[in-house]
Amino acid sequence: KALSQLVTKYEQEDEPLFVANCYRAIAYTQFEQENYGLAFENNFRALEIYKKTGFDNVPEIVKFLHEMALKHFYFKDYKQVITLMHRAIKLPKYNDVIEIQCYNNLGLAYSRIQERDSAVFYLNKAYTLADKYESNSWKAIASGNIGTIYYDLKEYDQAYEHYKKLYQYGKDQLDHIIRLTSYVYMSKVYLKLDSIALAKEYIQKVDISLKQL
């Protein structure tokens, strides 16, 4: 209610950016409350105002587009994710991590609609940026995502090369999910490559990690 009142106030004062920011805040609360339809409506209201104002005049526009893309990804609206992320990568970056994530989002969205060449292209861009910004965690994530594309294509040798990078960059990460994922992916690709003893070794790593967690 207070935010709705602020919308009216800022509309009367002709402050469109403040109006858009209020719609964005309202949408965030509605999404948390699982009022997804209303949340998307208010996000699009904010987006339309940002468009009219000019994206260059909105300091957090890339972060906003990224947040919208994650919500659409959650509901498997991958084409909308692609549209939003292509807008985002044409704008000045918000920060290093979100720049990497925008390309990662693009790669994952293309993979979900079976456009695998585009998926690999953008995931490689994410990996290159992660390398540039010295982020081993994102190099691990991007490598794992690329590996999964090749795994699904049954190109297991290619999948192995990328899963190996996921393991190398992920094994020392504080993030338990990255480490655990690296063990799972290495074990499954070794099974496909008929390396049973090595698969067992990584399955044991999964077991140890789960017990630690």
Side-chain angles (χ1 to χ4, degrees):
K1 186 177 179 180
L3 286 169
S4 297
Q5 290 172 344
L6 281 175
V7 167
T8 303
K9 175 180 180 291
Y10 290 134
E11 284 176 339
Q12 292 170 348
E13 295 175 359
D14 193 25
E15 294 282 2
L17 281 179
F18 289 149
V19 173
N21 290 340
C22 287
Y23 280 131
R24 181 180 170 187
I26 292 168
Y28 179 85
T29 301
Q30 289 169 330
F31 204 89
E32 290 290 302
Q33 296 171 343
E34 300 184 1
N35 293 323
Y36 301 123
L38 291 173
F40 279 115
E41 285 179 20
N42 283 310
N43 265 329
F44 276 113
R45 287 190 181 109
L47 182 61
E48 289 304 308
I49 294 171
Y50 290 145
K51 280 183 191 175
K52 290 176 183 176
T53 305
F55 285 166
D56 291 338
N57 298 313
V58 184
E60 288 200 341
I61 187 60
V62 171
K63 183 181 179 185
F64 173 67
L65 293 172
H66 168 62
E67 290 169 355
M68 282 191 71
L70 294 182
K71 292 178 173 66
H72 283 282
F73 200 98
Y74 180 78
F75 284 101
K76 302 182 181 180
D77 187 359
Y78 303 122
K79 291 188 177 180
Q80 187 62 36
V81 174
I82 290 167
T83 298
L84 291 166
M85 291 296 86
H86 274 298
R87 284 178 180 166
I89 64 175
K90 292 175 183 175
L91 296 164
K93 74 176 186 180
Y94 178 75
N95 63 32
D96 296 350
V97 172
I98 287 182
E99 185 181 11
I100 297 168
Q101 286 180 301
C102 286
Y103 283 98
N104 188 67
N105 293 343
L106 267 172
L108 289 176
Y110 275 118
S111 73
R112 296 300 193 273
I113 61 172
Q114 308 301 310
E115 293 188 20
R116 293 190 175 95
D117 288 344
S118 293
V120 171
F121 175 82
Y122 286 108
L123 289 170
N124 273 318
K125 289 281 287 184
Y127 180 91
T128 300
L129 286 170
D131 189 44
K132 176 182 175 182
Y133 300 137
E134 299 180 344
S135 173
N136 282 348
S137 59
W138 275 102
K139 282 196 282 187
I141 292 166
S143 297
N145 289 335
I146 297 168
T148 295
I149 291 172
Y150 288 116
Y151 184 91
D152 291 342
L153 290 170
K154 299 182 179 180
E155 296 179 17
Y156 300 122
D157 288 329
Q158 284 272 52
Y160 167 76
E161 291 302 321
H162 292 284
Y163 283 162
K164 185 167 66 173
K165 288 182 182 178
L166 163 60
Y167 172 70
Q168 288 170 341
Y169 293 121
K171 62 186 173 67
D172 297 322
Q173 292 295 315
L174 294 175
D175 188 315
H176 299 299
I177 298 301
I178 294 176
R179 284 192 287 108
L180 189 58
T181 300
S182 76
Y183 302 153
V184 171
Y185 285 9
M186 288 296 286
S187 63
K188 74 177 188 177
V189 78
Y190 274 130
L191 284 171
K192 292 298 184 181
L193 294 170
D194 292 327
S195 298
I196 305 303
L198 287 169
K200 183 179 179 181
E201 178 184 326
Y202 283 94
I203 290 169
Q204 288 171 338
K205 289 178 183 288
V206 172
D207 187 47
I208 292 167
S209 294
L210 288 174
K211 286 175 180 174
Q212 289 173 343
L213 289 173

